[in-house]
Structures are given as C-alpha cells and as structure tokens.
Amino acid sequence: MASQDPFHPGVNSSLTLLLRGEPEIVPSVAMVFYHPQAKVTLQIQHGSGHFQLGYANKPHLPVADLDYQAEPQQIIVTPLAEGHVKLVLRDLCLEVGKEVSANIYIAGIHSIQVQVPDKVQVGSRILAFVKVVDGRGVAFPPSQHKYMHLLPYTKSSYIDVRPATAQVLSTVPAEQLVDRRCVCCGGSSQAGPPEIQVFAPLKMIPKYITLLPTATFQILSTGGPLPQASIAYSIGNATVASVDGGGLIEALVPGNTTVIGKAQALDPVTGHVTTFSEDVVYVQVLKLRGIKIFMPFTRLLAGMEFFSMSGPLCTWIDEEPFSFASASPLGISFLWSASNIDVLSLVSVYEKAGISIQEEQDFAAIMHTRNPGQGVIRLTAKCPPGLCTPDEAVFTDQVQVQVLPALQLLNPPDGFFLLPHNGVARIITNRDGTSHMSYKLLNDVEGQSVVTLRSQGEVLSSVVNGHAVVMVTALEEELGLNQTVVVHVEVRPVASISLLPVSVAQAAPNSKYHAFPLGYTAEFAAHLHDNIGRQFDFADVPLGQRLNRYDIVQVSPGAANGSYIVKAAKQGDAILKIWVSAQPHISDFIRVRVGYAIIPSLANVHLGTKICFTTHLTEDQPGWWTTGDQGLLHIQPETGVAMALSTGRAVVYHKIKDIIDTHTELTVARIHDITFNLTRELPHFTNGPRQSELGPYLVPVQFSHTPSGGEFTPLLISPNRACSEEVNASNGAVYIQQVQFECLLELKNGGSTLSTERFIVAQSHFDAATGKSYCHLLAVEDVRSVETLATMQGLSLFLRVRAFDFAKTYSEVSRSLGVPFVPAFALSRYKLTLSPSENAADIQVTGSLKQLYTLQVVSSDPVSVQRVSVSDNAVVYRISVADHRRQPHATFSNERVTFSSGLTQQESVLLVSYAGAGTCELPGVCPDKQDGDKPVVPISTPSKLSEQLVEDSRIFVTIICIVVVVLAALIGYVVLKEKSPQLTAGFQSQLPPPMLQASPPPNFPPQSPARTPLQGGQTPFQKTPPLPGSSAFKRSSKLSPSPQHGLFSQ
C-alpha cells in the first residue's frame, strides 16, 4: 500500500500465517504382532503437513514397511520381521524444539496369561481374561488377538468355554462338582493351566429344625469351596435363637427365625473376600406339650433285645429327641418302669458299662423279653421350668407289650443232623406238646429218597448218601403265631468208631496213669465217625462188645443207644472192644485200669501208728469210713484218722453216697529187723568240730517187718487233710514217723569200755520231708574231753539202735555197727598275742598218728607258720609275724590260723594278734594274761632323750639281730638232732632233709586211702581230699587263696 505522505513514500506488503502445533505421533509406542495382516496405523497430529520420515536406528534387515499417507496424515506399519525400529519425523515447515519419534516393536507371542476365578459353583458363569505378552513382558493390544488364532480349550468335558467380549476370552459355565483346568493356546504358545474348583452349592442340614427352649443343635454344612472357604453363619431373629461360628444353634424363646450360612473365601483376582455360595435353615422354637413311647411293634418273641425310645408332642408335629434331649441346664428326666420283670425288663443303653437305668434317666432304654406273657412299659417325664406347657408339667405314657414263645431246636441244637445209613434220629423242639407241629421234607436227591419222615419228628436215613432239608413248623392259633425252623440232614457211611468215657473220675495224685477207683461205676459212650472225622449224631446202630478180663470190670448196656456201664470190680487192667455189628472191621479198643482210691492203699504200717486215710475222688461231698476189724484198727468215720491197735490185716471201706463204695487193705506188723542202710563205707568220725559245709554226721537206719527186708510203707499226708494237726507248720506234703527209736553208742579202748557221754552224743532223727530215719552223731564241745582222747590209741566206736512202738509194748535191738572213729587233735592254745619283744611263739598239736599225717595248716599274711618239731603224737609249729610286717607301730587282731584234718574233716582255729610298740588300743591285743599263754611283758617306749641315740644305732642293732638269729638256728638244730632217735622208724622216714638233716628209713607206712561220701539219698557226708604239701611254708595275701601246709611239708 502506498503511503499518502508525499514526502515520505513507502512500500508495504501482507502475509497470511497458518498457526500449527508441534507435530506428534500417536501412539508413540506401538506393539505389532508379527503377522502379515497385523498392520498398525500411526496418526500424525498437528504440524505443517510437510514431513520427512526417517529411522533413528535403521536395522540391517527391514523390520517393517512404512506407508505414509499425507491426506489423512497417517503412517501404516506393516511388520516384516521381529525387531525394533524407531521412526523420526521432521516438519519441513516448522522449527520444532524437540525430536518427534515413535517406537515400533514387532514381536511374536512369548506367553499367554489367563486370569480366571479359581472357584465356581455348579451351574454358574464366570469371566476368564486373557493377556498375550511378548518377550519384554508387554501385552499385545486386544485388537491384534484376532491375528494370533487363540484357541481356548479345557482338559475336562465338564467345563464349557465360549467367547465373550474383546477383553474377555471366554465364559466358563460349571456343570459338575469336579476340579478341572482351562487352557488357552495360540500358535505354538500355551497358557499355564489355571486350577478351577467346581464345587457343589452350600447345603445346610437339616432344612427345618424344631427345638425346645435352651436346647441346642449344630448344623451340618456340606458343599462350598474347599478347603480355603469358611462358613459364616448369621441369625435372622437373635431373640428367638442364637448361632455361633461353628453352626451351633441355641433356642432361646418360642418363635420362628432363619439361619443363613455363607461360604466365603478370598478371590485371587480381586483380592477381596467373596461369597461363593449360601443357604438358609428355618428354625422353630416350641414348648413341650406331651410325650409318647415310640415302638414300631408291640408283639415280640421271648429272648429278644429291643430298643425303645420316647418322643415329644409339641404343637402339630411329633418331633425326635433332637428337639428336646439337649435342653439344659436341668433338662427333662425320664423314669422308665416295667410292670412284670419276669416277662420283660428295662435296662440302660450303657448297661455293659455298669450304668443302671435308674441312674441314667434318659430318653432311651433297652427292653429284654424273658418269658412269654403280657407286660406294660411306663414312662414318666418331668419338665423343668420354661420347657413345657403347662410349666413344670409331668407327662406319662405307657405301652402294652406281648411276649410270645420262640421256637427253638433242642435236638439237634445247631440245626444239623449227620446220620449213618439206616440211622434213626428225632427232631425235638421246645414247643412239642403245646403247639401243632408239622414236618415237611423240602428237598431230596433226584429219584431216590435220602431220609424218610415219621410221626413226631422222627427222621430215618436210607442207604443213599446225600442231603435233605426238613422244615419244622409250630402253629399256635390262639396267639396267631406261626414259626418255622429248618433242619439240615446229611447221610454218610460209617468209617470208624471210638469208645470214650462219659463219667469223670479223677486220677490219683502224683500218678501219670489214670485208673478208675475200685467199686466205681463209669459210663462209656460209643461214637461213630465218617471218613473225614465228623461224629454222627444219635443213631440206632447195632454194636457188639467183648472183654479180655471179666473179673476186673463188669460191662452192661446203658440206657442210651451206644452207651455202656462199666463197674470196677478188681484192681488190674482190662481191655474192652466194641464194633459195628454189620461191619465188624470197624472196631475200637480201650484200656480200663482199676486202682485203689484210698490213700494209703495196701500199706504195711508199724504197730501203734496213726494213719490218715484220704481219697482223691471228691472233696465237696463227705464220705463215711469203716473197717472190718475194730480190734485191729480203730478209725474215725468222719475224718478217716485211724490207729493201728494190734498186728494183722484189716479192710478199710469208704463210701460216698450215690458216687462210690470202695475199699483197700492194710497190714499192721512189728519190727522184724533193724539194719543200717549203707550204700558206701562211712566216713571217719571224730569228737572235734567238723567243717560247717559238711553238715551233720547222719547214719541211715532202716526198719523191716519181714525177714526178707520189707520196709514199712511211708505214710505221706498233706497239711489240708484230717491229720493236719499232727504235721509241722511246713509247706507241702510231709511224712509221719511210724517207729520210735533211740541210738546207742559204745566207745572201747582195747578190752575196756569208756563212757561216751563226755565225748560223743547219738540222737535219733526222722526227716519228715523224705520219710527216712537216721542216727545223728554229735561231738561234745569240751576242750578237756578232746585233750583226753587225743593221745589214746586203739579206740573203737560202735552204734546200735533200739526201736519200739509209741506205747512201748515191745522193743527190738539191732546189731552193732562199727563207726570209723579217730580221736580229734587238740591245740595247746587257741589264742595267741605277739609283740615286738616276743614276735614268735610255739603251738603244739596233739593227736593220733592218722590225724597228724593228714594235718593241714592254712595261714594268711601277716602270720607266718613253721614246723619246729615232730613226735609220734604231737607236732610243734612256730607262729611268728612275717618279716615285712614287723614295723614298730604295726598292729593286727584275731588273724586266723586254721588247722584241719583231711581224714576226719576236723577244723580248729588259732586266733593271732600283734601289738606294735606302744599300741594297745585294740581290745584284747594287750591283755595281762590269756588262756594258755604266759604273761606278756610290756615293751617300754624310748624316751625323748634317747630317740636320737636309737636312730643312730639302728644299723648296729640290725647286725646284732642277724647274729642272734643265726646262733638260735644252730642251737635249735643241735637240740632236734639229739631228740630224733625217739621217733618211730616209719614216722621219722617222712621228715624232710632240709629241716632235720636225717636220712629217712624206707619203711614208713603208706597213707590211708580217702573215703568217699555216701550217695543215693544218704547222709550228706563230704570229705575234702588232702592237698599235697609244699616244699616250704609260704605266706600269702589276704586277697589270695591261703596256702595249705601238711605235716610233712617244709
């Protein structure tokens, strides 16, 4: 436009501007499924419309084809390969401050994700969501799912899947109560199978509940998802009833309400608690208006057990015990009773647990029908306050019950007959004679008859093997009762026969054989068997029988078929044979042994003996005792205690009413001969103390009543018998002493007889445990008597027995028995005390040559024993303290030195004590004077001033002591050598050279042989065999075995 001012002319122009925003690509990020048809359109918004496209990262291979369309300003992307490409857009007309770009991702399917609820109720529909992601985990847009050919399917035909919306893949209707999996597939990819639980709808049982106030009832819930779901209960009217989390309903007041139960669980998709299913229960609370006894029928057979129960009467409906039995706190008490307990009785349901019906008072009871008749059951129910209408009412009800007799088989009791050919049996029932009985053969073998029915239930078998069934009917028109039982009959041939005793007779005590008591009558029965061992039932089959001894037993036919009565007539054995008459080869044999039933039987007893007769037949039924000769034997009829009055033979009878009449014989005799029952030579006896383990010195004595040596019968009785007052308080059976006797001793020295009262005592002894008699020899414990006989030579001991009856009407003396006797050796002293100043002393052992020859000395540390001298009737031993125990302050008390004889088993003990310097604390160690000892000179203790001098001179004193000991040994040797000619030549020959230095003559008498102890129930003599002497006396520790020193050992 030209300017109007002429002085200032101008040129101007105008431009139209188009305002455009900065360009942008929408969407800036695109996910493209690698498929030729899966194209994506990118919109270019704003900008000038003149653009230049390029790649920010151009790939080596083309990933996508870009088609830019200017008119709609869009870019169509066609995928060529999997990968990533970044587009850059430049506006040719605008200056843009930032780069405009878009990221295009072309990828295949990496995974498929299905989201679906894990629980579904039968018949319901749910939505399943599908997400397809690439390798980066980015989901493809749903618009591209159509190019992926996604195919949903399930592993179960019970779940149906249908397409839904674009976002929803399928709908799953549940058809069955099962757990199934739903799987979605696309191409070669597959989604993980989600678990879907198809559950039944929640159902609460029962649907209708009627309760009394305060009664409780728990709902049973079924269905719903398991196991994660829980049931939540709620009540419609909390005033009428209440419910807790476990479904327990408690009735409060009369009225109606509902209980709603919901099955709830956590939904994994939404994360919230979801109700999957619900149900409702209708509750009615009423008060009790009456009660009745519930029994389906009132006619029962005897011997039955039946359950009866009570039921309430509410408004218009009869309820079960569920309604009222749980009412609390007191509840309803039920009192049951029966009118006739002989017909029927009522007991508690828990009778076997010891609970009575009176204590239980519950709504149910057990009825036992006992005998036929009529009975009434009564029930009284007492209501507590608030449960009944009217309040605290008492309701009653009663039912009349008729008990009918039940048909029972008495023969056969198990309903089965096994019959032989041509056998006869009868069917017997408890209704015979009172009901109209009929018998019918139900089946039989084809064409032939196995059994034939006769009147009154008799069944006759034929010669045909087979089975048959007999129906027994009892018709009682008055009672309107018709009862039937069946009997099965089997017919088989006889294969074997056996004869067995029916009567019970006890065997004699301590006897391994059974014997029928003399005079006893026993019953035997023959049993027939088929070829597999089954016993036939009662059948009339002819049998034969024969005996080999008719004098021992007597046989006669019994009342029943196949039974025999056997009477025991004489002691002994008889063989009885039976057989089937039609088949003699079918037979059986049995031994019938007859013995005495009276104890003792056939006994020989001594005159004046008290006898206790007993029998093992029975103890609960008393019997009667008698004898044929009252002058020979006096017997008490009630107890069986008898006394032998004179010699001879008597018969003793015992009778038990209706059981047995038996007898036995008894012989009463005097003593004919007395002998000493020695099976071996007696051991040596001495008048000194014997070793304790040897026991008493017993000489067995035997009394005979015949010249041939017949002994009297030992009378064994038990404390529980009639003679129990005569038996000591001991356990078990004992014997009675029959012979009174005394033992007489004679001690001879050459031609003269010495009195034995000072030396030896003989006592009579009876062993009640074995029934044996002995003479018991005892030594008189007197030191002087031992010393008196110790030096005597040629002593002989003789034993005699004088026997007589208890009344001393006669006596019998035995011949003399020489008892090997050796006088006991004696010690010069039995206690010895030593000290440092007198550490040795001599002990003299005096005795016969036989005793000294087998003498053994045993000592233990700290005592040392050495033999000093020997003569023909004495040995001197030196007792000293062992060298290693001679300490200045050593002390011991009562150490034993044992002197024993291997010949007579005599044993004497010397007690040795030792008191060290200045020690007299132990009692008896430093007495002023001991028995047989010289006075002990006390040893002075060195003063304190001389202690150092004694210590310095210890070596000098030791040397002087050694010299003194050597001189003393030489002097002793000279003295012994001068006395040695006084020994006998034989005795001196056994002295060892190291001690006496003398040459032994060769004519020493040999050692007497050792005697062995008695055997076979005789006296318990034991003799220790002499141990060989050692070459020198040895010392041993107290913990080790002590050495033994013989007379001729050094």
Side-chain angles (χ1 to χ4, degrees):
M1 174 177 218
S3 172
Q4 298 296 328
D5 186 357
F7 298 101
H8 296 84
V11 180
N12 47 11
S13 177
S14 64
L15 176 65
T16 302
L17 297 177
L18 297 177
L19 299 179
R20 295 287 188 265
E22 292 184 356
E24 61 177 343
I25 301 175
V26 179
S28 62
V29 178
M31 285 288 300
V32 182
F33 177 62
Y34 177 52
H35 190 274
Q37 297 179 0
K39 298 180 180 182
V40 177
T41 301
L42 304 179
Q43 298 291 334
I44 302 176
Q45 297 179 357
H46 310 297
S48 64
H50 303 279
F51 306 103
Q52 180 183 2
L53 290 175
Y55 294 98
N57 55 340
K58 186 176 182 178
H60 297 286
L61 296 177
V63 176
D65 182 23
L66 303 179
D67 181 14
Y68 173 70
Q69 297 177 2
E71 182 60 28
Q73 280 190 254
Q74 62 182 11
I75 303 172
I76 298 176
V77 181
T78 301
L80 299 178
E82 293 185 9
H84 169 244
V85 62
K86 183 177 181 181
L87 300 180
V88 178
L89 179 68
R90 189 192 331 169
D91 196 324
L92 299 177
C93 298
L94 295 177
E95 292 290 338
V96 180
K98 63 178 180 179
E99 183 183 56
V100 178
S101 63
N103 291 298
I104 301 174
Y105 295 91
I106 300 174
I109 299 174
H110 182 270
S111 64
I112 302 174
Q113 299 177 1
V114 179
Q115 295 182 355
V116 62
D118 60 345
K119 302 176 182 64
V120 58
Q121 183 174 310
V122 175
S124 301
R125 293 177 179 269
I126 58 174
L127 296 178
F129 297 89
V130 178
K131 181 188 295 186
V132 183
V133 298
D134 62 357
R136 298 178 302 113
V138 180
F140 288 98
S143 61
Q144 295 193 8
H145 287 181
K146 59 184 178 182
Y147 307 113
M148 300 178 184
H149 299 288
L150 296 178
L151 178 62
Y153 71 92
T154 64
K155 291 185 178 180
S156 172
S157 60
Y158 299 109
I159 298 179
D160 185 20
V161 182
R162 303 186 186 97
T165 63
Q167 290 281 338
V168 180
L169 173 65
S170 59
T171 302
V172 183
E175 302 295 343
Q176 297 292 335
L177 183 60
V178 290
D179 290 340
R180 299 300 176 189
R181 293 182 177 182
C182 178
V183 181
C184 296
C185 296
S188 60
S189 299
Q190 179 174 337
E195 296 285 344
I196 301 177
Q197 184 189 55
V198 182
F199 59 88
L202 177 65
K203 183 178 182 181
M204 296 191 298
I205 304 173
K207 194 69 175 179
Y208 300 94
I209 300 175
T210 301
L211 298 174
L212 268 65
T214 71
T216 58
F217 190 89
Q218 190 170 18
I219 300 173
L220 176 62
S221 299
T222 61
L226 296 174
Q228 297 88 355
S230 60
I231 310 299
Y233 298 96
S234 61
I235 192 78
N237 188 349
T239 306
V240 177
S242 64
V243 64
D244 61 6
L248 181 63
I249 301 174
E250 182 179 1
L252 301 177
V253 296
N256 298 324
T257 185
T258 57
V259 174
I260 300 175
K262 298 180 179 180
Q264 297 177 342
L266 183 66
D267 190 345
V269 178
T270 63
H272 299 89
V273 177
T274 304
T275 300
F276 290 93
S277 183
E278 65 179 45
D279 194 14
V280 63
V281 172
Y282 301 95
V283 180
Q284 184 181 26
V285 181
L286 303 173
K287 286 191 176 183
L288 189 67
R289 301 182 60 184
I291 200 166
K292 69 176 181 179
I293 299 175
F294 172 75
M295 289 185 64
F297 37 81
T298 58
R299 288 165 55 91
L300 301 172
L301 293 177
M304 298 291 106
E305 182 179 275
F306 190 74
F307 185 80
S308 59
M309 184 180 65
S310 63
L313 295 176
C314 296
T315 54
W316 50 271
I317 186 171
D318 296 344
E319 301 299 335
E320 299 176 342
F322 281 145
S323 303
F324 63 89
S326 61
S328 61
L330 299 178
I332 304 173
S333 61
F334 299 89
L335 303 178
W336 296 86
S337 63
S339 62
N340 191 349
I341 60 175
D342 185 58
V343 175
L344 54 89
S345 62
L346 296 172
V347 297
S348 169
V349 177
Y350 300 102
E351 178 194 15
K352 295 182 179 180
I355 299 176
S356 65
I357 192 172
Q358 291 79 13
E359 296 172 344
E360 189 176 26
Q361 295 187 1
D362 208 352
F363 61 86
I366 298 294
M367 179 179 63
H368 292 282
T369 58
R370 301 182 180 275
N371 300 304
Q374 299 283 341
V376 176
I377 298 176
R378 293 186 178 89
L379 173 62
T380 301
K382 296 182 179 180
C383 293
L387 295 184
C388 303
T389 301
D391 198 17
E392 299 187 24
V394 177
F395 303 115
T396 60
D397 189 27
Q398 65 180 16
V399 174
Q400 186 174 6
V401 179
Q402 183 180 13
V403 180
L404 306 176
L407 177 62
Q408 296 179 356
L409 284 173
L410 302 181
N411 186 41
D414 57 351
F416 178 80
F417 266 142
L418 179 61
L419 300 180
H421 292 168
N422 298 323
V424 179
R426 181 185 174 190
I427 301 175
I428 303 175
T429 69
N430 64 330
R431 303 305 297 165
D432 292 352
T434 59
S435 302
H436 176 70
M437 306 298 299
S438 63
Y439 307 90
K440 180 181 180 181
L441 189 62
L442 296 182
N443 66 325
D444 209 339
V445 283
E446 297 179 359
Q448 294 179 339
S449 176
V450 176
V451 297
T452 302
L453 295 180
R454 295 179 179 178
S455 59
Q456 297 181 353
E458 285 190 352
V459 180
L460 175 63
S461 62
S462 64
V463 294
V464 179
N465 298 336
H467 298 263
V469 178
V470 179
M471 184 177 67
V472 183
T473 303
L475 177 60
E476 301 185 36
E477 297 179 354
E478 296 181 358
L479 301 177
L481 183 63
N482 188 7
Q483 303 181 69
T484 60
V485 294
V486 294
V487 177
H488 179 247
V489 182
E490 183 178 358
V491 179
R492 302 286 295 178
V494 177
S496 66
I497 186 173
S498 61
L499 184 64
L500 298 176
V502 178
S503 303
V504 178
Q506 299 178 359
N510 303 323
S511 175
K512 58 182 179 180
Y513 300 110
H514 177 275
F516 287 98
L518 183 65
Y520 189 77
T521 300
E523 182 180 0
F524 285 76
H527 301 284
L528 302 177
H529 304 272
D530 64 358
N531 58 352
I532 58 175
R534 293 181 300 175
Q535 180 179 329
F536 286 101
D537 292 290
F538 175 82
D540 188 7
V541 177
L543 303 175
Q545 58 88 14
R546 184 168 57 243
L547 280 167
N548 70 327
R549 291 286 301 270
Y550 294 93
D551 57 337
I552 295 178
V553 296
Q554 301 172 1
V555 181
S556 59
N561 179 48
S563 64
Y564 298 93
I565 304 299
V566 178
K567 183 176 182 180
K570 182 182 178 181
Q571 184 184 17
D573 291 357
I575 308 300
L576 174 61
K577 175 187 177 181
I578 61 170
W579 66 90
V580 179
S581 300
Q583 299 171 293
H585 64 280
I586 301 178
S587 61
D588 188 28
F589 295 84
I590 190 172
R591 180 192 301 275
V592 181
R593 177 177 284 112
V594 180
Y596 288 99
I598 297 177
I599 305 173
S601 61
L602 301 179
N604 296 304
V605 300
H606 184 230
L607 179 64
T609 301
K610 184 177 181 180
I611 311 159
C612 301
F613 289 102
T614 58
T615 178
H616 61 273
L617 295 178
T618 179
E619 295 181 356
D620 53 356
Q621 296 186 8
W624 190 261
W625 297 90
T626 57
T627 180
D629 191 348
Q630 293 289 343
L632 188 145
L633 186 70
H634 176 70
I635 188 170
Q636 297 180 6
E638 297 83 2
T639 62
V641 179
M643 180 68 70
L645 303 178
S646 62
T647 59
R649 179 171 296 180
V651 180
V652 177
Y653 300 93
H654 183 62
K655 183 177 182 181
I656 303 177
K657 186 178 180 181
D658 299 331
I659 296 181
I660 192 173
D661 186 356
T662 185
H663 66 274
T664 187
E665 293 185 358
L666 180 74
T667 301
V668 182
R670 294 187 178 188
I671 298 175
H672 184 272
D673 190 14
I674 303 175
T675 58
F676 296 96
N677 188 15
L678 303 178
T679 58
R680 294 187 180 183
E681 189 175 357
L682 287 173
H684 286 82
F685 178 74
T686 185
N687 59 319
R690 288 163 51 87
Q691 297 179 8
S692 58
E693 63 270 12
L694 296 178
Y697 191 96
L698 302 177
V699 179
V701 181
Q702 178 177 325
F703 304 99
S704 304
H705 62 88
T706 60
S708 60
E711 294 186 63
F712 291 104
T713 303
L715 300 180
L716 180 67
I717 64 171
S718 299
N720 60 343
R721 300 298 184 179
C723 290
S724 58
E725 67 276 3
E726 302 294 333
V727 183
N728 297 330
S730 60
N731 296 328
V734 295
Y735 290 89
I736 291 181
Q737 183 177 1
Q738 301 187 47
V739 180
Q740 187 78 7
F741 67 98
E742 61 182 356
C743 300
L744 308 175
L745 288 177
E746 288 182 346
L747 183 61
K748 295 185 179 181
N749 185 7
S752 61
T753 302
L754 302 179
S755 174
T756 61
E757 296 179 357
R758 296 174 49 199
F759 313 109
I760 307 171
V761 175
Q763 298 178 352
S764 61
H765 174 70
F766 177 77
D767 190 353
T770 62
K772 302 294 183 180
S773 298
Y774 302 93
C775 282
H776 184 194
L777 303 187
L778 297 170
V780 178
E781 297 182 0
D782 184 22
V783 177
R784 294 184 178 180
S785 64
V786 173
E787 295 176 350
T788 301
L789 296 181
T791 56
M792 291 186 179
Q793 303 294 333
L795 293 177
S796 300
L797 184 64
F798 297 93
L799 175 65
R800 291 185 303 163
V801 174
R802 186 171 69 91
F804 42 84
D805 60 341
F806 286 89
K808 295 184 178 181
T809 59
Y810 82 101
S811 63
E812 184 73 22
V813 181
S814 69
R815 292 182 296 272
S816 297
L817 172 67
V819 178
F821 175 73
V822 176
F825 63 84
L827 304 181
S828 59
R829 63 177 70 180
Y830 294 91
K831 296 180 67 177
L832 179 62
T833 301
L834 302 178
S835 64
S837 61
E838 187 180 0
N839 57 11
D842 294 340
I843 298 295
Q844 178 176 317
V845 181
T846 305
S848 63
L849 181 62
K850 294 181 178 181
Q851 285 278 44
L852 299 180
Y853 180 80
T854 61
L855 187 64
Q856 297 175 353
V857 183
V858 178
S859 64
S860 60
D861 187 43
V863 180
S864 177
V865 180
Q866 289 183 339
R867 177 167 45 79
V868 178
S869 62
V870 180
S871 63
D872 54 356
N873 60 357
V875 180
V876 178
Y877 291 93
R878 177 156 296 167
I879 311 298
S880 61
V881 181
D883 295 340
H884 66 282
R885 294 298 300 270
R886 296 179 183 176
Q887 303 297 330
H889 300 285
T891 300
F892 59 83
S893 175
N894 294 334
E895 293 291 338
R896 296 169 62 91
V897 179
T898 304
F899 298 82
S900 60
S901 170
L903 179 64
T904 62
Q905 312 304 322
Q906 178 188 350
E907 184 178 88
S908 297
V909 178
L910 171 66
L911 299 179
V912 180
S913 302
Y914 180 78
T919 57
C920 287
E921 290 84 357
L922 296 177
V925 175
C926 298
D928 294 339
K929 194 171 184 179
Q930 302 182 19
D931 297 338
D933 294 344
K934 296 180 180 180
V936 178
V937 180
I939 302 175
S940 61
T941 304
S943 63
K944 295 182 180 180
L945 297 177
S946 61
E947 287 180 358
Q948 186 65 34
L949 180 61
V950 172
E951 184 69 20
D952 296 339
S953 61
R954 178 173 299 172
I955 300 176
F956 179 77
V957 173
T958 303
I959 297 174
I960 294 178
C961 291
I962 294 174
V963 174
V964 172
V965 171
V966 173
L967 292 177
L970 293 176
I971 294 174
Y973 172 76
V974 174
V975 172
L976 293 176
K977 187 174 181 180
E978 292 176 355
K979 294 183 178 181
S980 59
Q982 300 176 4
L983 300 176
T984 61
F987 198 69
Q988 186 180 4
S989 64
Q990 301 297 321
L991 298 179
M995 176 62 73
L996 300 180
Q997 302 293 331
S999 300
N1003 57 348
F1004 186 80
Q1007 180 180 357
S1008 301
R1011 304 178 185 273
T1012 58
L1014 295 178
Q1015 302 293 333
Q1018 301 300 323
T1019 58
F1021 295 123
Q1022 298 181 3
K1023 181 174 182 179
T1024 305
L1027 300 177
S1030 59
S1031 60
F1033 292 127
K1034 300 179 182 178
R1035 295 185 296 270
S1036 62
S1037 174
K1038 292 183 179 181
L1039 299 178
S1040 60
S1042 302
Q1044 298 181 352
H1045 309 284
L1047 171 64
F1048 306 110
S1049 62
Q1050 180 175 344

